[in-house]
Amino acid sequence: MPDFSPFFPLIAIILGVLFAVGFIWVATKLMWKVAEPNEALIISGLTRGTLDTRAGMDFKIVTGKGALVLPGLQTVRPLSLHPE
């Protein structure tokens, strides 16, 4: 029976990299929010102003695309674009 003990560190490194890539993929998938065709997403939190000018908007409006939302730091609210 062959001795595979020299390969254990290599196997551990490969498994660690696969776990890290999987974790990053799942985290990104959970934080990525996409607006439906008939709605806009209003993302608030984490101001977009700079240190020099804080007069910028305190929210971001996303229509027709996606945005990365940090849970706990940002909130997302959908806004319907149907005329009523």
Side-chain angles (χ1 to χ4, degrees):
M1 182 160 156
D3 182 24
F4 292 112
S5 60
F7 294 108
F8 287 154
L10 179 63
I11 293 171
I13 290 172
I14 291 172
L15 289 176
V17 167
L18 287 176
F19 177 76
V21 168
F23 178 79
I24 291 170
W25 182 76
V26 168
T28 304
K29 194 78 165 159
L30 290 174
M31 293 188 301
W32 189 255
K33 305 296 180 191
V34 179
E36 297 292 327
N38 58 351
E39 74 178 7
L41 297 178
I42 300 175
I43 302 172
S44 59
L46 291 178
T47 60
R48 297 188 321 163
T50 64
L51 292 176
D52 296 331
T53 114
R54 301 292 288 188
M57 292 189 303
D58 195 25
F59 59 91
K60 179 170 53 170
I61 299 173
V62 177
T63 58
K65 58 182 178 179
L68 194 65
V69 177
L70 301 173
L73 298 176
Q74 295 176 317
T75 57
V76 179
R77 293 178 187 93
L79 175 67
S80 176
L81 299 178
H82 283 293
E84 293 182 20

